[in-house]
Amino acid sequence: MDHTATPPPQILVESLLAFWADAGVDCLYQDEASDRIAAGLTLPPRHAEPSSAPAAGAAGVGAAKVQTDDAIVLARRLAAGAQDLTELAAAITAFEGCALRYAGAVRQAVFSRGLANAPVMIIGEGPGAEEDARGEPFVGRAGQLLDRMLAAAGLTDRVFITNTVFWRPPGNRTPTLEEQQACAPFVERAIELVSPRILLLLGAASAKAMLKREEGILAMRGRWFEWRSADESLELPAMPTLHPAFLLRQPAAKKKAWSDLVSLVQRLDRPERPH
Ligand code: URA
């Protein structure tokens, strides 16, 4: 056998794709490759810092902060104009203020699925590849596990499901606080329109952003917190729990997530106390 012969093109292509897949590259953002070295290296935008931070000497930080503030103002205006969930979905699709729209999403904004007046609103972190392709949250492997857990808890038809951001973060990284802040007015308007009785927050990125807390998810899960809207006009009980993607990697943690769901159902079905 001639070991020096070049393999057929199909084998070369398959092997190159397998190499990229092993390296974590699972999607293409454009048809042609960009030579970023020839174009001149540019640094990624720096993250915004608290508004008290001095802007002097940190033009990147100041610019990122201004961008985030502008995005939040625009998001609030668009979200406030939406009178129902269909209008809210259209407003999100029109929104250009979240950097993820241009970074991670290949196909579309991913807003929600579930019952429009559900008593439980589930808020995940952000869409993955499957969600980006299908336009609905939690439809990949983690979503299938979530659905099985909801079915076992009798919650299938009692939930509305969304995320803290509506575009897929590149390589499924955790969304940044700025990206979550830009999308937050839409999440808040969704809460107003659906009017759930309870929020279930999946994973650390959702719990930290929604509750503005710093503890890790293992410290927060299974406990009740009070979620408040930005203007403090709305408040709701909220429970963080483990993200189903984490449960796929750590099946032994499923019993913790199950006990969280059980206490959520108990609170949901508890008769309201007379005022
Ligand atoms: N993980 C999330 O947090 N949200 C999804 O929609 C899918 C996976």
Side-chain angles (χ1 to χ4, degrees):
M1 193 195 251
D2 177 5
H3 290 285
T4 59
T6 310
Q10 187 189 337
I11 303 287
L12 286 175
V13 169
E14 281 173 5
S15 137
L16 183 61
L17 288 176
F19 170 80
W20 285 119
D22 279 351
V25 178
D26 60 2
C27 62
L28 301 173
Y29 295 124
Q30 50 195 30
D31 292 337
E32 299 294 327
S34 297
D35 186 345
R36 301 213 185 272
I37 296 176
L41 285 175
T42 49
L43 291 174
R46 301 257 311 267
H47 291 170
E49 283 176 0
S51 49
S52 56
V61 173
K65 169 96 184 93
V66 169
Q67 272 175 17
T68 306
D69 287 351
D70 286 352
I72 295 171
V73 170
L74 176 62
R76 283 205 187 117
R77 189 158 52 73
L78 288 172
Q83 298 310 310
D84 56 33
L85 292 170
T86 308
E87 289 185 12
L88 188 58
I92 290 169
T93 302
F95 179 56
E96 297 183 341
C98 177
L100 287 175
R101 183 184 171 127
Y102 305 100
V106 179
R107 292 182 189 233
Q108 56 198 318
V110 177
F111 173 39
S112 71
R113 68 177 170 99
L115 191 68
N117 58 354
V120 179
M121 185 182 287
I122 298 180
I123 304 178
E125 185 176 311
E130 195 82 17
E131 288 74 21
D132 179 50
R134 294 192 24 206
E136 283 192 327
F138 283 101
V139 290
R141 278 184 68 226
Q144 287 157 18
L145 173 58
L146 176 65
D147 284 348
R148 288 198 296 277
M149 292 167 62
L150 294 174
L155 287 171
T156 301
D157 299 322
R158 305 176 81 189
V159 297
F160 179 91
I161 304 178
T162 188
N163 279 304
T164 61
V165 295
F166 307 111
W167 291 269
R168 180 194 179 198
N172 293 342
R173 66 159 168 74
T174 305
T176 66
L177 191 58
E178 290 76 31
E179 291 156 356
Q180 290 176 313
Q181 284 172 340
C183 295
F186 298 109
V187 178
E188 203 167 283
R189 184 72 181 132
I191 295 174
E192 240 175 335
L193 291 169
V194 174
S195 190
R197 285 173 40 214
I198 286 177
L199 300 180
L200 179 64
L201 309 175
L202 300 184
S206 168
K208 287 181 181 183
M210 295 301 295
L211 300 174
K212 301 181 178 57
R213 297 183 75 98
E214 286 302 323
E215 298 105 300
I217 189 66
L218 289 173
M220 283 194 279
R221 62 146 280 271
R223 291 165 54 200
W224 287 104
F225 294 89
E226 206 61 28
W227 168 84
R228 287 200 181 82
S229 57
D231 65 2
E232 310 226 324
S233 63
L234 295 176
E235 13 179 281
L236 277 179
M239 177 188 280
T241 191
L242 302 173
H243 194 287
F246 173 78
L247 300 177
L248 287 172
R249 295 192 299 273
Q250 306 274 339
K254 282 183 188 167
K255 62 173 183 280
K256 292 195 172 97
W258 177 249
S259 101
D260 298 348
L261 269 193
V262 169
S263 64
L264 181 140
V265 171
Q266 279 168 352
R267 179 159 188 164
L268 190 64
D269 292 340
R270 192 165 69 196
E272 299 267 326
R273 285 204 206 99
H275 293 290

